[in-house]
Amino acid sequence: MTKKELKDFLDTKVAQYNHPSFLESDPLQIPHRFLAKEDIEISAFLTATIAWGNRKSIINNAYRMMELLQQAPFDFVMNHHPNDLDRLAPFVHRTFNGEDLCYFVKSLQNIYRNHGGLENIFSQYATTTSTQTAISAFKQVFFELPHPLRTTKHISDPARGSAAKRINMFLRWMVRDSATQVDFGLWKKIGPAQLSCPLDVHSGNVARKLKLLKRKQNDAKAVLELNKNLRELDPRDPVKYDFALFGLGVFERF
């Protein structure tokens, strides 16, 4: 395919999958249950954190997390008492367990009380062209409290070579325009042009078949390569192609 043919093909797939029907089988449906900005942010962040493995299991366990937070994630984070965390102990999603969830609640409280919230941290450390340095800075802030060593693996760091798929996905949810009622467009201090594609096995395989990606590993260097090529297709909103790459891989077995 020529570059124009590739762009036309992917733009068609974006239009197909960047649609509210996408939410029926996607974990993004969880934050769509809420209306307040902070409830959306926290539910989206926690949902993205456990977004690996079977999609039905992710959705069920994300909903379970919201039940444990009494369907009021921001209020629970800000106003919980230490013994309220006991109700979180039984939670488990693959290697993410109740101990991890308890620390996440404590850290989120610290972030909203002392750092101005999630948006403020990411926007403060983002560059004009990237959020990757902001993800690394966010991890440092997130673990500034005493924490279980095991929990650090649940926040990825591009500076250590990770593709940081789940945080890049969370940022897409928060930043991209809400016109199609899929992403939220809640954050105004970061623009879509700064985002990176959430790279996983599905989007990576499709990107390689379409010659958008040569690197074999799905790591931070692959994200940079994919960023460059997607920005050539749409410099203002390159991450919209996440819908095309993911949809082609998951739903069409491209």
Side-chain angles (χ1 to χ4, degrees), residues 18-241:
N18 188 12
H19 186 275
S21 60
F22 178 84
L23 300 175
E24 296 172 5
S25 62
D26 195 84
L28 183 51
Q29 66 181 260
I30 301 299
H32 272 281
R33 298 172 182 267
F34 299 98
L35 298 175
K37 178 178 185 283
E38 292 82 3
D39 284 331
I40 293 170
E41 289 174 344
I42 291 172
S43 61
F45 177 70
L46 292 174
T47 297
T49 296
I50 65 165
W52 84 100
N54 178 274
R55 288 159 67 78
K56 184 176 180 180
S57 176
I58 295 166
I59 293 168
N60 288 342
N61 285 330
Y63 184 76
R64 173 63 178 152
M65 273 198 292
M66 297 308 107
E67 288 183 324
L68 293 171
L69 299 180
Q70 300 175 322
Q71 299 296 346
F74 182 61
D75 181 68
F76 189 95
V77 162
M78 299 306 294
N79 300 309
H80 70 272
H81 297 286
N83 59 352
D84 292 330
L85 297 178
D86 293 342
R87 64 186 281 114
L88 310 183
F91 182 80
V92 61
H93 175 81
R94 298 172 73 93
T95 63
F96 186 90
N97 65 21
E99 182 181 23
D100 302 315
L101 181 56
C102 285
Y103 180 76
F104 268 56
V105 168
K106 294 176 186 176
S107 182
L108 285 167
Q109 183 186 73
N110 177 56
I111 284 169
Y112 281 93
R113 280 186 176 174
N114 300 311
H115 294 280
L118 288 166
E119 180 181 8
N120 189 59
I121 294 175
F122 282 102
S123 62
Q124 179 180 349
Y125 293 102
T127 70
T128 56
T129 59
S130 176
T131 53
Q132 298 308 287
T133 54
I135 294 174
S136 297
F138 170 75
K139 181 166 186 174
Q140 292 185 5
V141 173
F142 195 82
F143 289 108
E144 69 182 12
L145 303 178
H147 56 272
L149 182 60
R150 56 160 285 116
T151 305
T152 59
K153 67 184 176 183
H154 293 295
I155 301 288
S156 299
D157 184 354
R160 297 179 66 86
S162 172
K165 175 250 182 178
R166 293 188 289 278
I167 297 186
N168 281 317
M169 182 175 67
F170 165 69
L171 292 174
R172 192 206 87 198
W173 294 352
M174 294 297 98
V175 173
R176 284 198 71 255
D177 187 84
S178 62
T180 62
Q181 300 177 358
V182 180
D183 294 323
F184 286 96
L186 273 179
W187 290 5
K188 307 305 181 184
K189 298 177 182 178
I190 299 174
Q194 295 167 266
L195 300 176
S196 292
C197 189
L199 180 62
D200 65 7
V201 63
H202 304 291
S203 57
N205 287 343
V206 173
R208 291 180 185 94
K209 289 179 181 178
L210 294 173
K211 302 188 186 308
L212 290 167
L213 184 59
K214 293 180 180 178
R215 187 169 176 82
K216 294 181 179 179
Q217 301 98 314
N218 292 328
D219 58 9
K221 290 182 179 179
V223 170
L224 293 176
E225 181 186 347
L226 186 58
N227 278 350
K228 177 180 179 296
N229 290 324
L230 294 182
R231 277 161 171 71
E232 291 178 1
L233 300 178
D234 189 338
R236 293 178 298 177
D237 188 15
V239 179
K240 73 181 185 182
Y241 293 113

